[in-house]
């Protein structure tokens, strides 16, 4: 990377950003990444140190790994952190304190896995997987369809978690509505075959998500921002689409924005690919254009070979930092989430912001395996 390119990266990514009461010094976000380092669902001192180290090294906003809301079927591992119970919440309080002492900002990602739960798995072995229609992501029968009571219980669990997040001193929350987990299972026509008010057209499929957003908005103060993560693709279906057209995406986003979503975290596998024909806007770009809300782009930032080679001063970087900066500078999106590259090098942010990109450590095979 040339000195001029490094200066441009530092200048573009160093701009401050704010939404509601959240103000961050730069445009770099740490993406949520499941690590299963919380035995019994309780984040310990090592988790606090893990996040604080990255906050101290210049990450503007940290989004935690997914953390389970208080519903029996929400999780599928006893090593993924919970966001309920005195022990887990005390652990999260320590995480917040450590990150704030390091000068960072942090929001938890609230999560319910839905039908992707493995039957018999902890943390509640006898909890049955639940979903909109009792169908797996492959369309096969699994678990059971949710009743109205189930829906109400999950909405309440998310709202309680949001309120707890504010009470513990977090700087906002993110609702995980992506990648084929519960909220996304309602948004996606392949898993939502309901014939009641929660199924059918795009807007109806968004009703459950909108109810969760509205309940969370009511449970927190006006200064506390709500992020909503969404994706077209699913963990085992990269070609999946919530919306085939911009019009359909508008129908999906409108209820969420109206319910109180302040920002959207738009997950794609490769941020540089256009989402719809006729425009080079990526998914985050389209979401921002349609919703009018700030967006976070994410998807292989710092991972693809061209990108990393460019950072090391090798190759043309056709999909590298130049295109990322082009898009950021024309306000196609507002924030840039970095995942596995921050696992490989906790100082990725400060090295980028100070023009020391040649010193960045390349992601290893283990870092590339981390999923969320």
């Amino acid at each position: 990377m040339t000195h001029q390119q490094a200066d441009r990266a530092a200048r573009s990514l160093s701009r401050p950003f704010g939404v509601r009461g959240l103000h961050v010094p730069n445009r770099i976000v740490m993406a949520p990444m499941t690590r299963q380092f919380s035995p019994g669902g309780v984040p310990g001192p090592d988790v606090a140190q893990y996040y604080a180290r990255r906050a101290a090294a210049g990450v503007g906003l940290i989004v935690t790994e997914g953390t389970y809301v208080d519903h029996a079927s929400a999780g599928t591992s006893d090593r993924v952190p919970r966001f309920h119970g005195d022990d887990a919440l005390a652990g999260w309080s320590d995480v917040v304190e450590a990150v704030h002492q390091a000068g960072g900002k942090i929001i938890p990602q609230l999560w319910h896995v839905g039908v992707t739960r493995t039957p018999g798995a902890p943390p509640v072995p006898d909890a049955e997987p639940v979903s909109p229609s009792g169908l797996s992501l492959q369309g096969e029968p699994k678990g059971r369809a949710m009743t109205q009571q189930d829906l109400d219980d999950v909405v309440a669990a998310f709202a309680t978690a949001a309120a707890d997040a504010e009470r513990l001193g977090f700087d906002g929350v993110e609702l995980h509505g992506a990648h084929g987990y519960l909220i996304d299972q309602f948004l996606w026509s392949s898993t939502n075959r309901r014939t009641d008010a929660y199924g059918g057209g795009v807007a109806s499929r968004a009703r459950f998500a909108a109810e969760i957003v509205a309940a969370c908005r009511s449970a927190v103060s006006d200064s506390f921002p709500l992020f909503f993560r969404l994706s077209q693709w699913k963990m085992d279906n990269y070609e999946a689409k919530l919306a085939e057209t911009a019009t359909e995406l508008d129908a999906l986003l409108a209820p969420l924005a109206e319910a109180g979503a302040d920002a959207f975290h738009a997950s794609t596998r490769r941020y540089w690919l256009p989402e719809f024909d006729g425009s080079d806007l990526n998914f985050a770009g389209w979401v921002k254009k349609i919703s009018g809300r700030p967006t976070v782009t994410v998807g292989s930032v710092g991972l693809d070979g061209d990108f990393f080679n460019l950072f090391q001063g090798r190759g043309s970087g056709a999909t590298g930092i130049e295109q990322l900066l082009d898009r950021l500078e024309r306000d196609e999106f507002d924030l840039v989430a970095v995942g596995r590259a921050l696992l490989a090098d906790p100082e990725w942010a400060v090295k980028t912001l100070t023009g020391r990109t040649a010193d960045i450590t390349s992601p290893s095979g283990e870092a590339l395996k981390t999923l969320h």
Side-chain angles (χ1 to χ4, degrees), residues 38-58:
S38 298
V42 179
D46 59 320
V47 176
Q49 182 182 29
Y50 164 76
Y51 288 120
R53 183 181 181 188
R54 286 151 179 87

Side-chain angles (χ1 to χ4, degrees), residues 72-102:
S73 300
T76 192
S77 168
D78 61 356
R79 294 186 61 83
V80 168
R82 303 178 258 116
F83 211 81
H84 59 90
D86 291 343
D87 52 354
L89 293 180
W92 282 119
S93 180
D94 292 341
V95 171
V96 173
E97 182 179 4
V99 168
H100 285 170
Q101 285 182 349

Side-chain angles (χ1 to χ4, degrees), residues 2 34 53 104 108 111 152 166 169 268 292 325 347:
T2 68
T34 295
R53 183 181 181 188
W111 190 22
D152 294 343
E166 185 170 29
T268 53
L325 298 178
E347 296 187 339

